[in-house]
Amino acid sequence: MEHIGSGPINPSLLTLQKNHVSTNIWNGGEVTFRAMYNFWQNLPSAPVLEVIRNTTFGHIIDIGTIEINNHLITALVEKWRPETHTFHLPVGECTVTLEDVTYQLGLPINGAPVTGIASGNWEMICHNLLGAIPTDKQIMGQRIQMSWLDSTFAVLPPHADDVVIEQHARGMIGGFLMPDTSGSRVHLMYLPLLEDLSQTFQYSWGSAVLACLYRGICRAALISHQIEIGGCLHLLQSWAYDRIPMLAPRVGATSNHTNIHGHATNIIRSMLDRLRIDQFVWTPYRNITYVGPIHDLVRARVPLICFALVEWHDADRVMRQFGLQQPIPEDQINLEKQHKMNLRWKNDYNWPQKHDQWIQVWNNRENYVVNGFPDNQLLYRYSQYMQWYLQRTRKYISPDGAYSAGSYNFIKMIRDRCAPTNVFPNPLQSLNDVYHNCNEMMQAFAQLIPTAFSSTTSQAPPPQQFQMSFAPDYQQHYESQTHTDTFPQAYTQTLAPQQQQQHPFGF
């Protein structure tokens, strides 16, 4: 089952596999997640844009309108692991980090957490800060329809004064960054934080956006009937385009035309199942200089906080994304209790008080930056980390992916075993090894689809060991040659030069 088994072989890491969407797909189910709403169909007027540019959200204006590829988002959700907040790909773990938020959205990551009390007189708050009051149909609880925001603030009235211009600016900001899991509404709790637009720089909006995205993907990955996904999907999609260029739109094509014919989810799924080490870009921002120095916080193991949400930034699991060597990571943080925490029926919660222990860790974030050694070589399958990872990952999402990728790996293994060498090996022993591997592969296919394959085989003949005479020219070479000489030795990660501080509260 090594070649076509879905995994994990060792279930200690992926403890939620039973409820993961990949289990449903392996058993024949399908689901396509969709972005319910694409905000900013048209850019705001020039005076509103000028106000937004002078806030911490100024860079999002340059993003413009982007069509979301729902098939790509679906395939990424299938690879997402809520246990670790990482994607499990054949090349190892990877994820959207605070570094990606900085480069993709230009939002600040170093600042106070985005939190507060999620209650208030919303009609009065909307009147004062937006200059308009939505109807009862446009507000669901404390969430407002993004379509109302778009239609209300799409056109600036003639001769609008500074107050009206700022109201329009507030209306255009929130929905783009942090839509809820419906993808079509945004919570009004962010609005009071935008009262003074000149003070928006004091908050870590980047970590709040990332927390919302993590929560949206986690919910989608664990609920098989969930067909809507929350969070900033523009960030997720642009991350995938930069990291896996073969998924990106073709040069000169519109944003919804990629290199994938038909955009079918199963095609993207198969591409991700077969992803090679040279097809993933670990450091796409290495040559970008216009952003300026990036804070070391991008490598911190810290909580990401946004009102009720607490998600974990597992930077130590994706060290190659920061140009550092990847060791076997620390045990993941158990956020099962936090994943059940949401805003439902908690309108009067004092979230800063509720999440006080997590906020304390965030306030000391510089003490939890992970350091390491420069990454000077690719991590192949025989490296220490990859041997650890391959035992714990979900290799394939669907049986089709297992057939194609698994069969290729099996054929490659047979080829490697039969490769000519500089010495004369024991031919019967090699044939016996090939026989047993073929037998294991047949049994794996028979277990995968019993009605299509049979594992009935004859018994393998007993191996016969005998000595072969060597040509004199090869005798000395053979005595000094070992089988391990064919492959480079896996390096062992040592402790980083700087000892990182232990987290309080037992994590």
Side-chain angles (χ1 to χ4, degrees):
M1 291 292 288
E2 175 186 357
H3 296 289
I4 62 173
S6 60
I9 300 173
N10 183 334
S12 61
L13 181 64
L14 305 186
T15 57
L16 301 176
Q17 181 57 52
K18 181 179 179 181
N19 299 318
H20 195 269
V21 66
S22 60
T23 298
N24 183 46
I25 295 171
W26 185 269
N27 294 330
E30 282 289 344
V31 60
T32 298
F33 300 99
R34 61 178 182 264
M36 293 296 295
Y37 192 82
N38 290 313
F39 201 61
W40 283 16
Q41 300 300 307
N42 299 294
L43 286 176
S45 59
V48 176
L49 288 177
E50 186 63 27
V51 170
I52 296 177
R53 287 192 186 279
N54 290 327
T55 70
T56 193
F57 307 102
H59 292 286
I60 65 176
I61 297 173
D62 300 324
I63 297 175
T65 58
I66 300 176
E67 290 293 329
I68 297 298
N69 184 335
N70 295 323
H71 300 291
L72 172 60
I73 298 301
T74 298
L76 290 173
V77 169
E78 295 168 1
K79 287 291 189 180
W80 178 261
R81 300 307 311 195
E83 302 94 335
T84 59
H85 291 154
T86 57
F87 298 102
H88 272 221
L89 299 179
V91 297
E93 292 181 89
C94 55
T95 194
V96 185
T97 69
L98 290 171
E99 179 185 51
D100 298 297
V101 176
T102 300
Y103 279 101
Q104 299 288 351
L105 300 179
L107 292 174
I109 59 175
N110 195 24
V114 176
T115 188
I117 300 175
S119 63
N121 185 334
W122 296 118
E123 288 188 359
M124 181 179 295
I125 292 174
C126 287
H127 179 269
N128 293 338
L129 299 183
L130 297 179
I133 301 176
T135 65
D136 293 340
K137 292 182 178 180
Q138 293 157 342
I139 290 184
M140 180 179 292
Q142 298 177 336
R143 298 172 297 166
I144 191 170
Q145 290 181 348
M146 288 165 54
S147 58
W148 178 82
L149 290 173
D150 196 15
S151 61
T152 303
F153 301 106
V155 179
L156 185 68
H159 312 294
D161 59 18
D162 291 344
V163 173
V164 174
I165 293 174
E166 288 193 358
Q167 290 170 343
H168 275 246
R170 295 188 191 98
M172 300 301 293
I173 291 173
F176 176 84
L177 297 173
M178 290 169 285
D180 66 4
T181 53
S182 72
S184 60
R185 293 183 293 271
V186 64
H187 207 289
L188 286 168
M189 62 189 178
Y190 304 110
L191 193 52
L193 301 180
L194 303 178
E195 180 175 2
D196 186 348
L197 292 174
S198 66
Q199 297 299 313
T200 54
F201 294 92
Q202 65 179 303
Y203 296 106
S204 176
W205 292 101
S207 65
V209 168
L210 192 55
C212 292
L213 178 61
Y214 278 8
R215 178 59 61 91
I217 312 176
C218 285
R219 280 178 53 86
L222 287 178
I223 304 175
S224 60
H225 62 270
Q226 177 88 9
I227 59 174
E228 300 169 352
I229 179 172
C232 185
L233 299 184
H234 299 76
L235 171 61
L236 176 58
Q237 181 167 281
S238 60
W239 174 90
Y241 287 164
D242 281 342
R243 301 285 178 177
I244 312 174
M246 65 180 178
L247 301 177
R250 297 187 298 268
V251 176
T254 57
S255 61
N256 61 342
H257 289 85
T258 70
N259 295 323
I260 307 154
H261 179 69
H263 294 265
T265 301
N266 60 344
I267 295 177
I268 306 176
R269 179 188 299 150
S270 180
M271 294 172 71
L272 294 179
D273 277 345
R274 300 197 308 265
L275 193 70
R276 300 194 312 266
I277 194 169
D278 60 330
Q279 293 175 323
F280 190 89
V281 181
W282 290 103
T283 54
Y285 314 121
R286 178 164 288 177
N287 297 322
I288 295 179
T289 58
Y290 59 81
V291 176
I294 301 300
H295 199 281
D296 288 344
L297 175 59
V298 298
R299 302 196 312 275
R301 294 185 75 242
V302 288
L304 305 171
I305 302 164
C306 184
F307 283 89
L309 306 186
V310 175
E311 301 292 337
W312 194 256
H313 189 246
D314 269 313
D316 66 316
R317 310 191 79 90
V318 294
M319 295 297 283
R320 286 177 288 178
Q321 292 185 209
F322 310 114
L324 302 175
Q325 295 177 19
Q326 179 62 61
I328 295 175
E330 297 183 23
D331 292 340
Q332 68 271 29
I333 302 298
N334 186 351
L335 288 178
E336 183 178 359
K337 180 179 178 181
Q338 279 66 38
H339 268 164
K340 297 178 181 178
M341 187 74 66
N342 56 45
L343 290 166
R344 186 170 298 176
W345 314 117
K346 302 179 182 69
N347 296 339
D348 297 326
Y349 266 42
N350 186 323
W351 293 112
Q353 181 177 348
K354 180 71 175 179
H355 294 326
D356 177 65
Q357 63 168 339
W358 303 104
I359 293 175
Q360 288 184 39
V361 177
W362 174 260
N363 289 339
N364 291 282
R365 51 195 175 275
E366 294 185 3
N367 295 327
Y368 302 118
V369 172
V370 182
N371 295 301
F373 296 109
D375 186 16
N376 298 319
Q377 62 179 348
L378 297 175
L379 280 182
Y380 291 97
R381 296 176 68 89
Y382 47 79
S383 68
Q384 185 184 48
Y385 164 76
M386 289 301 294
Q387 287 296 306
W388 172 88
Y389 169 74
L390 291 173
Q391 292 287 315
R392 292 162 176 80
T393 187
R394 179 82 171 183
K395 288 186 178 180
Y396 309 114
I397 300 301
S398 70
D400 289 340
Y403 297 155
S404 58
S407 299
Y408 172 83
N409 291 333
F410 171 73
I411 294 171
K412 181 177 181 296
M413 181 273 298
I414 294 297
R415 183 204 66 181
D416 293 343
R417 286 184 177 275
C418 298
T421 64
N422 293 330
V423 299
F424 297 102
N426 184 329
L428 289 184
Q429 183 62 51
S430 296
L431 289 174
N432 185 70
D433 291 343
V434 170
Y435 174 88
H436 281 290
N437 280 280
C438 291
N439 194 37
E440 289 178 4
M441 191 67 174
M442 292 174 62
Q443 291 176 353
F445 273 110
Q447 292 180 32
L448 205 60
I449 304 183
T451 58
F453 300 102
S454 172
S455 60
T456 303
T457 58
S458 58
Q459 237 355 8
Q464 299 182 32
Q465 303 290 342
F466 59 92
Q467 297 294 327
M468 292 189 63
S469 58
F470 294 99
D473 293 343
Y474 292 108
Q475 180 67 39
Q476 184 176 0
H477 177 78
Y478 175 78
E479 292 175 349
S480 62
Q481 181 88 355
T482 63
H483 292 292
T484 56
D485 289 339
T486 309
F487 303 100
Q489 295 294 315
Y491 75 88
T492 301
Q493 173 78 34
T494 57
L495 292 176
Q498 179 178 340
Q499 186 68 30
Q500 51 188 100
Q501 183 168 330
Q502 295 295 317
H503 283 287
F505 317 112
F507 54 83

